[in-house]
Amino acid sequence: MTKPIIEVKNLAKSFGKNEVLKDITEQVDSGQVIVVIGPSGGGKSTFLRCLNLLETPTSGEVDFDGENLTTLDTKRVNELREEMGMVFQGFNLFPNMTVLENIKLAPMKVKGINDAAATKRAHELLKQVNLDDHADAFPSSLSGGQAQRVAIARALAMDPKVMLFDEPTSALDPEMVGEVLNVMQELANQGMTMVVVTHEMGFAKSVADRVWFMADGYIQENNTPEAFFDNPQTERAQDFLSKILM
Amino acid sequence: MKKRLVLFFALVLALVTGFTTMTATTANAATDTSLSKVQKKGTLVMGTSPDYPPYEFQATVHGKTKIVGMDVAVGEKIAKDMGVKLVVKSMSFDSLLVALQTGKVDMVISGMNPTPARRKNVDFTHTYYQGGYSIVINKSDKGIYKNKDSFVNKTIGAQTGSTMYNESKKQTSGTTVKGMTSVSDLILALQSHKIQGVAMEKPSAQAYVANNKELAAIPSDFNLSASDTSASVAFKKGSTALVTAANKSVDQIKKQNLVNKTYLPAAGKYLKTNTVNTSMFHYWKAFLTGIEYTLIITVCSVFFGFIIGVILALARMGQGGAVKTGLRWLATAYVEFIRGTPMMVQVMFVYFGLGLIVNLPALTSGIIAISLNSGAYVAEYIRGGINSVDDGQTEAARSLGMSSGLSMRYVILPQALKNIWPSLGNEFITLIKDSSIVSIIGVSELIFQSNIVRSDTYRGVAPIAVIMVLYFILTFTASRILNYFERRMQHD
């Protein structure tokens, strides 16, 4: 068995007196697609943000590729973040740059790749998300679905080993959800390791290798999608599924 | 909070006392070397307030503005006898003695009376000229006013900080005394009937009356001691060697009656050529210089102010660590202090206060002071601008592996800049106007130049109207340029 790419050990996170994550120990293997589901306010986003240290854990550790992020200096954390792409609910494209510039910025400034090579790579990625004809558009002129696909291309431009998705379709109009999920599915088919926080149960069923059910600051259940959806083990999960699958 | 305030005031007091003691020590130390120092550097710097014809005033000589007058002739004689070159520095009358004490100038010749109060702070030579006081009035009022006692329930004007001002206050009753910095302003006030008379020295009064048919001079009948009507050269306290050397020249001047025989007629000639052409176009070069300096000061101050502002804003937003907390505290204190004190005081403090440590030219001091001032305001704009950028932008940048510095530079600051561009533009335009404050330390920007033209031409309003239009052209052009860039930054 290969070494896991992400290992989380006794992770806890509080905001003031509010304990959002209580005690989480899980691992993600290379090539796996993990879908994290659960009720709102259960700590899913916070958990995901702890994986690339956008939130600093209160206690516990997060190991990425064998290195404990919580003990590293800022410089090394920055380097490791290059290997973990992240896609946000609100896209967070840079509004002052064109689509192409959004994608090229980090490869050029962080990796020092020259303009020609970065441009070539950006066009490849835009083709991959079917948006190459929008390369010179500004983010404000894009639809939500288009913006999120650009955001995915931007994260992929750093050639990450893992992609983290924080509710990537929650801010989209229903008819645009499909185009984003298709891109994500393709990415999974190519063997990308992914951790996806989402409410898209269809996506979880068809793409996930494992489903993590998260509520009240704990991973309540860790199972294959089939087992989880057909035969949830915990009462908390049964309750959650009964409410959403009506 | 109160305790802190007390501490703060104690600190300010300590600073001020510190500077004063420093002045005193440097003065004492200079006792014996004062003359050799001047001879070593080869120049004798004379401070004067050139709005007091025929003592000192600006004249156009071969197309160039120059400070001339009998005091300049006296200064030239003293410098020549010492074997050094005379350099004339102009500034407001109020600033002269401070400039002397802080070593900005070596001597002051500005029709200054060696009063006992002034003697406490500076050393005077023998008197080189014995004058008297007159009161200048409007010719139409000639029958009404006889002398200083005719102004009951009226207003007399005098140059602030001058002997006339103090004596007018002391020796009249029922008369309001109005102080203004420049004599040309006083004359203007007189002609627009804001005041009924202007007390000034006899030669000046004669010059004004000779050049303006609307004016007349009456005797003042002030009861004055010799020291109040005589003019002397002032040196820094304790520079005995310089005073002794200068006294030799002054004694010669007195003995040969040089002032009345040579200096005053020469000064009168300048006055004559001066009033031939008082059209504003004739002075276009003076205004051009004013625009040039105003722009230099503004552009430099905006540039450095912006850099200072960015640094301060980042320091104010620093989180965690003892060093960062310290920096944040310092930056906050700086911003509060600068915003809480008048820019004029800051300009004077940089010029005269820093002058104790390093001798900075007036222009440099002005730019430093205004940059430091502007930096505090710009810092607040930038801080607001950075806060206005969505946190998600930082998170997106950081998630791509960009360091906080890179994120700030390429993602946050460009967006912040766009958001605060109107405020920054406002600051730029304010600076164009506020740069006029450095006129008090003698930088030849627009206001300063207009004052020169006013005292030069005896025309009060026209130069003000000219610079008003010039300022508007500058600010309007600037705001058009800023709008152009604002439009270019719009992507949505």
Side-chain angles (χ1 to χ4, degrees):
Chain A
M1 196 186 139
T2 53
K3 230 177 100 195
I5 185 129
I6 299 175
E7 264 192 288
V8 179
K9 293 171 188 162
N10 304 107
L11 176 67
K13 171 72 183 173
S14 315
F15 296 101
K17 281 184 178 167
N18 183 16
E19 283 186 282
V20 180
L21 303 178
K22 284 167 186 159
D23 182 7
I24 295 176
T25 303
E26 293 293 347
Q27 64 181 55
V28 180
D29 292 330
S30 201
Q32 260 189 337
V33 175
I34 309 289
V35 172
V36 185
I37 60 173
S40 297
K44 305 189 296 293
S45 285
T46 305
F47 169 69
L48 199 69
R49 292 156 61 83
C50 280
L51 296 185
N52 67 353
L53 243 57
L54 279 186
E55 299 291 356
T56 311
T58 310
S59 64
E61 64 179 78
V62 178
D63 294 356
F64 180 79
D65 223 359
E67 288 183 77
N68 180 1
L69 291 178
T70 54
T71 60
L72 299 175
D73 62 14
T74 321
K75 192 165 168 282
R76 186 72 190 134
V77 170
N78 286 342
E79 285 167 5
L80 289 178
R81 276 193 188 131
E82 294 173 33
E83 301 182 7
M84 285 185 275
M86 188 161 196
V87 175
F88 300 86
Q89 183 176 351
F91 328 134
N92 296 350
L93 294 179
F94 308 136
N96 54 327
M97 300 176 204
T98 63
V99 164
L100 200 66
E101 286 164 350
N102 260 281
I103 299 173
K104 278 157 60 180
L105 180 71
M108 286 174 68
K109 299 301 172 196
V110 178
K111 289 191 163 176
I113 291 169
N114 69 41
D115 189 51
T119 307
K120 187 166 164 276
R121 176 80 177 124
H123 280 298
E124 283 169 18
L125 289 166
L126 281 173
K127 280 189 191 111
Q128 190 180 331
V129 298
N130 292 321
L131 278 172
D132 202 28
D133 49 339
H134 287 73
D136 295 319
F138 279 97
S140 54
S141 68
L142 300 177
S143 72
Q146 289 169 331
Q148 195 59 296
R149 284 184 283 151
V150 172
I152 293 172
R154 180 176 68 178
L156 290 173
M158 296 300 283
D159 295 317
K161 290 182 182 162
V162 175
M163 285 285 282
L164 309 175
F165 291 84
D166 187 4
E167 304 203 26
T169 56
S170 299
L172 298 179
D173 292 338
E175 75 269 23
M176 291 172 184
V177 171
E179 63 193 61
V180 172
L181 290 181
N182 284 341
V183 168
M184 289 167 63
Q185 177 144 25
E186 240 171 75
L187 210 54
N189 294 344
Q190 288 165 14
M192 175 63 77
T193 311
M194 293 162 59
V195 180
V196 184
V197 171
T198 187
H199 294 294
E200 297 297 331
M201 297 305 149
F203 180 82
K205 270 184 190 163
S206 58
V207 184
D209 294 312
R210 305 288 297 183
V211 170
W212 295 357
F213 175 70
M214 194 165 173
D216 309 326
Y218 294 100
I219 303 276
Q220 308 269 359
E221 213 169 318
N222 173 351
N223 219 329
T224 62
E226 298 80 19
F228 176 75
F229 285 107
D230 298 342
N231 190 15
Q233 300 296 303
T234 58
E235 209 174 300
R236 196 80 179 73
Q238 288 160 10
D239 180 51
F240 175 73
L241 287 172
S242 73
K243 276 178 187 157
I244 60 158
L245 288 180
M246 274 198 301
Chain B
M1 191 63 207
K2 261 195 181 158
K3 256 191 189 163
R4 263 197 209 161
L5 268 180
V6 170
L7 202 78
F8 174 76
F9 281 119
L11 202 80
V12 172
L13 203 74
L15 258 172
V16 172
T17 341
F19 274 116
T20 329
T21 350
M22 270 176 73
T23 330
T25 27
T26 37
N28 288 335
T31 306
D32 292 313
T33 54
S34 58
L35 178 61
S36 57
K37 260 189 187 163
V38 166
Q39 280 168 336
K40 208 172 174 187
K41 70 178 168 146
T43 53
L44 183 64
V45 183
M46 157 181 165
T48 193
S49 169
D51 55 357
Y52 206 59
Y55 281 79
E56 49 268 319
F57 54 100
Q58 308 263 349
T60 315
V61 183
H62 304 304
K64 273 190 173 173
T65 43
K66 205 179 146 189
I67 299 167
V68 294
M70 68 176 237
D71 279 351
V72 180
V74 170
E76 259 159 12
K77 163 96 176 136
I78 292 172
K80 200 181 154 201
D81 292 348
M82 285 180 188
V84 295
K85 216 172 148 269
L86 181 76
V87 176
V88 183
K89 246 188 190 179
S90 63
M91 57 190 70
S92 71
F93 192 82
D94 295 331
S95 306
L96 284 171
L97 289 186
V98 189
L100 188 61
Q101 281 165 340
T102 55
K104 291 273 163 197
V105 298
D106 299 316
M107 64 175 177
V108 168
I109 316 180
S110 200
M112 192 173 271
N113 313 122
T115 59
R118 286 186 184 137
R119 275 187 196 284
K120 277 182 198 153
N121 296 311
V122 293
D123 283 347
F124 281 103
T125 61
H126 303 153
T127 58
Y128 59 87
Y129 184 74
Q130 184 76 42
Y133 292 160
S134 294
I135 297 175
V136 175
I137 56 169
N138 288 311
K139 209 172 214 169
S140 51
D141 293 343
K142 215 173 174 186
I144 308 173
Y145 304 114
K146 294 268 178 293
N147 60 21
K148 66 171 167 67
D149 300 319
S150 320
F151 293 90
V152 178
N153 292 329
K154 306 282 185 200
T155 307
I156 287 185
Q159 199 174 13
T160 319
S162 70
T163 314
M164 284 76 74
Y165 181 76
N166 299 330
E167 293 307 322
S168 302
K169 278 207 145 163
K170 260 191 245 161
Q171 299 198 24
T172 55
S173 54
T175 304
T176 314
V177 180
K178 174 136 183 86
M180 287 190 187
T181 320
S182 94
V183 177
S184 29
D185 282 335
L186 286 165
I187 293 291
L188 184 65
L190 174 68
Q191 291 191 286
S192 54
H193 301 279
K194 301 238 164 32
I195 56 179
Q196 283 71 45
V198 183
M200 63 175 92
E201 302 221 19
K202 225 180 245 164
S204 299
Q206 279 160 3
Y208 272 100
V209 171
N211 284 287
N212 194 328
K213 290 186 179 63
E214 312 280 301
L215 302 176
I218 55 166
S220 65
D221 291 346
F222 279 129
N223 182 17
L224 296 163
S225 67
S227 79
D228 285 333
T229 54
S230 56
S232 288
V233 184
F235 285 96
K236 197 180 206 171
K237 191 100 190 151
S239 39
T240 325
L242 267 175
V243 175
T244 312
N247 266 335
K248 277 184 204 153
S249 313
V250 170
D251 290 347
Q252 268 184 32
I253 292 172
K254 279 286 250 192
K255 207 172 162 196
Q256 297 171 22
N257 197 13
L258 281 176
V259 170
N260 285 321
K261 260 196 197 155
T262 320
Y263 298 165
L264 273 177
K269 259 182 214 157
Y270 281 122
L271 273 175
K272 246 184 199 164
T273 53
N274 220 11
T275 44
V276 170
N277 191 348
T278 59
S279 119
M280 288 300 114
F281 289 108
H282 184 66
Y283 286 92
W284 68 273
K285 266 191 182 157
F287 288 117
L288 191 68
T289 310
I291 293 177
E292 191 187 316
Y293 277 95
T294 292
L295 284 180
I296 289 175
I297 296 162
T298 310
V299 171
C300 290
S301 304
V302 162
F303 178 75
F304 292 117
F306 183 74
I307 293 173
I308 294 169
V310 172
I311 294 169
L312 282 175
L314 294 179
R316 277 199 82 169
M317 297 179 79
Q319 292 288 345
V323 179
K324 278 186 178 173
T325 311
L327 281 177
R328 190 176 70 224
W329 196 89
L330 262 178
T332 309
Y334 176 85
V335 169
E336 292 297 338
F337 186 76
I338 292 289
R339 289 200 302 187
T341 51
M343 180 136 91
M344 185 184 274
V345 177
Q346 292 160 8
V347 168
M348 296 207 291
F349 188 81
V350 168
Y351 186 56
F352 297 120
L354 275 188
L356 293 171
I357 304 157
V358 274
N359 198 6
L360 295 169
L363 178 65
T364 317
S365 306
I367 291 173
I368 291 175
I370 296 184
S371 302
L372 289 174
N373 179 284
S374 175
Y377 288 91
V378 171
E380 286 302 277
Y381 293 139
I382 291 178
R383 198 164 66 97
I386 290 173
N387 284 336
S388 76
V389 177
D390 181 31
D391 286 342
Q393 295 289 313
T394 315
E395 289 180 355
R398 298 306 297 273
S399 78
L400 289 165
M402 294 172 77
S403 65
S404 56
L406 280 177
S407 315
M408 194 48 91
R409 183 166 157 206
Y410 291 104
V411 177
I412 308 304
L413 276 183
Q415 294 183 53
L417 200 62
K418 187 190 136 195
N419 291 347
I420 61 169
W421 191 256
S423 313
L424 280 183
N426 210 10
E427 173 70 12
F428 180 62
I429 285 164
T430 307
L431 273 192
I432 292 179
K433 296 180 285 174
D434 281 358
S435 64
S436 61
I437 283 179
V438 301
S439 63
I440 55 166
I441 54 171
V443 180
S444 35
E445 48 68 68
L446 265 176
I447 297 271
F448 187 85
Q449 292 297 93
S450 76
N451 282 336
I452 286 173
V453 174
R454 291 172 69 203
S455 59
D456 229 33
T457 56
Y458 302 94
R459 290 179 68 176
V461 183
I464 298 178
V466 169
I467 60 162
M468 201 153 97
V469 172
L470 289 177
Y471 269 120
F472 181 71
I473 292 172
L474 288 182
T475 52
F476 190 70
T477 313
S479 85
R480 290 294 103 183
I481 294 172
L482 290 165
N483 281 355
Y484 169 76
F485 282 109
E486 189 177 343
R487 273 198 306 278
R488 271 192 46 175
M489 278 192 288
Q490 296 294 346
H491 298 309
D492 33 38

